[in-house]
C-alpha cells in the first residue's frame, strides 16, 4: 500500500489541552495517554536533521548529537516515547536562499537523516511504505520517513525528484519561503497564479512515484491547482487554520 492511499485514513492527530492546575487533570492526562497508546501520533514535520547540521558544539556529527540523552534541542528518544510518537517524518530541509545549486546540501541532509535513523535501530526504523510503518509501530519503534521541504531542491528536474524518491523521500513540500520557477509560495510575490504546467507535471510525477504532495508553505492558488491535478490525497505537514489565525502560511477554508 502506498503512503498516498493510506494517509487519507492513517494520519490523524488528537490534541488535548489540559490546564495543569484544573481538577481532574491527572485523569485527563491518563486518558490522553491511553488514546496515544492505541493511536500513535504520526508527526508530519521535524527539523532535527537540520538541528544536527547546525549544532554549535558538533555540527553535522550524528554520533555527538546523542538522542539517548536529553538533547539541547526539542527531540530525543525519551521525549518521542513520552509524546506517543509512532511515526515521524524527518524533514530534510534545505534553505531556498542558498547561493548556487541545492542538490549537494540536499543529499547531505538525506545522509544525516538516514545515518541518524540507523544509529538507533532499537528505537527508530526507516520506513518507505505503509506496511513498513505499521511493522515498526508493532515492534515499538518510531517509523521514520523523510520529507523534502521545498521544491527548489529538485532544481527544475523530474529526474532529480525521482532520485530523491529512490533515496527515501516520501513527501515534498512544493515550495518553502520563495516562489519557484513553477510554483508560488505563500510568503513571496506570486509569479504564476499557482502552478505552471511544469508544476502540474511535478504533482503528477509525485502521484506516480507514491510521494505525498505537501501543501504547507504554498500560496492559496498553488493549493487549488495541486488539489485539481492530484489524483491522491495531499497533506499539510505543518500548517494551521487561517480562520483561527489569519496568517498567509495558514490554510483557508
Amino acid at each position: 500500500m502506498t503512503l498516498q492511499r493510506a494517509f487519507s485514513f492513517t494520519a490523524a492527530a488528537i490534541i488535548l489541552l489540559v490546564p495543569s492546575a484544573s481538577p481532574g487533570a491527572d485523569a485527563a492526562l491518563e486518558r490522553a495517554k491511553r488514546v496515544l497508546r492505541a493511536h500513535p501520533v504520526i508527526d508530519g514535520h521535524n527539523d532535527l536533521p537540520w538541528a544536527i547540521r547546525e549544532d554549535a558544539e558538533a555540527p553535522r556529527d550524528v554520533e555527538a548529537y546523542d538522542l539517548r540523552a536529553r538533547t539541547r534541542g526539542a527531540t530525543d528518544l525519551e521525549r518521542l516515547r513520552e509524546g506517543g510518537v509512532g511515526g515521524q517524518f524527518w524533514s530534510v530541509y534545505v534553505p531556498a536562499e542558498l547561493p548556487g545549486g541545492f542538490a549537494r546540501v540536499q543529499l547531505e541532509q538525506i545522509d544525516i537523516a538516514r545515518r541518524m535513523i540507523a544509529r538507533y535501530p532499537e528505537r527508530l526504523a526507516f520506513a518507505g511504505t505503509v506496511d513498513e510503518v505499521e511493522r515498526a509501530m508493532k515492534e515499538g519503534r518510531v517509523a521514520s520517513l523523510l520529507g523534502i521541504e521545498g521544491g527548489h531542491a529538485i532544481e527544475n528536474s523530474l529526474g532529480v525528484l525521482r532520485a530523491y524518491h529512490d533515496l527515501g523521500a516520501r513527501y515534498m513540500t512544493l515550495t518553502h519561503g520563495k516562489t519557484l520557477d513553477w510554483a508560488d509560495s505563500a510568503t513571496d510575490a506570486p509569479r504564476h497564479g499557482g502552478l505552471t504546467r511544469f508544476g502540474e507535471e511535478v504533482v503528477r510525477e509525485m502521484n506516480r512515484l507514491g510521494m505525498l504532495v505537501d501543501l504547507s508553505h504554498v500560496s492559496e492558488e498553488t493549493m487549488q491547482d495541486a488539489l485539481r491535478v492530484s489524483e491522491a490525497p495531499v497533506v499539510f505537514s505543518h500548517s494551521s487554520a487561517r480562520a483561527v489565525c489569519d496568517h498567509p502560511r495558514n490554510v483557508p477554508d
Side-chain angles (χ1 to χ4, degrees):
M1 182 183 293
T2 67
L3 288 173
Q4 295 166 321
R5 291 173 54 201
F7 257 73
S8 59
F9 59 85
T10 300
I14 297 173
I15 300 174
L16 300 176
L17 301 179
V18 182
S20 59
S22 66
D26 290 343
L29 180 59
E30 183 52 42
R31 176 172 177 266
K33 289 179 177 179
R34 287 198 304 272
V35 170
L36 289 172
R37 284 194 291 271
H39 306 284
V41 168
I42 296 179
D43 180 37
H45 191 85
N46 188 314
D47 280 312
L48 180 60
W50 189 258
I52 293 174
R53 182 186 186 90
E54 296 291 287
D55 184 65
E57 296 186 12
R60 307 189 195 190
D61 192 333
V62 172
E63 294 186 3
Y65 201 100
D66 187 4
L67 298 183
R68 295 187 178 95
R70 184 85 173 184
T71 65
R72 296 178 288 280
T75 302
D76 52 56
L77 297 178
E78 181 58 24
R79 280 182 282 182
L80 288 170
R81 184 193 65 77
E82 290 176 354
V85 177
Q88 178 68 73
F89 277 94
W90 302 105
S91 173
V92 285
Y93 164 73
V94 173
E97 299 80 9
L98 284 178
F102 303 102
R104 178 182 63 82
V105 179
Q106 185 62 80
L107 291 172
E108 290 174 352
Q109 287 307 102
I110 292 172
D111 174 67
I112 287 173
R114 295 203 59 155
R115 287 191 294 122
M116 178 197 76
I117 295 164
R119 180 163 168 74
Y120 307 99
E122 74 284 4
R123 298 293 299 276
L124 306 179
F126 184 79
T129 67
V130 170
D131 289 342
E132 291 170 350
V133 170
E134 292 177 343
R135 185 181 309 120
M137 288 183 178
K138 288 178 182 178
E139 295 169 349
R141 299 192 289 170
V142 177
S144 295
L145 306 103
L146 304 184
I148 291 173
E149 189 175 20
H152 54 277
I154 70 170
E155 299 188 21
N156 298 341
S157 168
L158 296 181
V160 173
L161 174 67
R162 289 187 284 268
Y164 292 154
H165 175 266
D166 288 344
L167 292 172
R170 289 300 178 266
Y171 79 55
M172 184 172 74
T173 318
L174 296 187
T175 72
H176 191 249
K178 296 291 185 181
T179 288
L180 310 181
D181 291 338
W182 49 270
D184 289 336
S185 168
T187 52
D188 196 7
R191 288 162 43 197
H192 317 293
L195 291 175
T196 67
R197 288 187 178 181
F198 178 76
E200 293 178 356
E201 289 305 308
V202 171
V203 170
R204 293 189 180 99
E205 185 64 4
M206 291 175 71
N207 285 172
R208 189 190 71 81
L209 291 169
M211 291 180 72
L212 292 163
V213 176
D214 178 21
L215 299 182
S216 290
H217 282 286
V218 307
S219 72
E220 183 175 348
E221 293 76 16
T222 300
M223 295 176 195
Q224 297 289 357
D225 283 350
L227 288 167
R228 172 177 53 81
V229 172
S230 182
E231 297 181 1
V234 303
V235 296
F236 292 86
S237 66
H238 56 303
S239 298
S240 297
R242 196 176 296 176
V244 176
C245 179
D246 188 10
H247 187 281
R249 274 287 321 282
N250 288 334
V251 185
D253 291 347

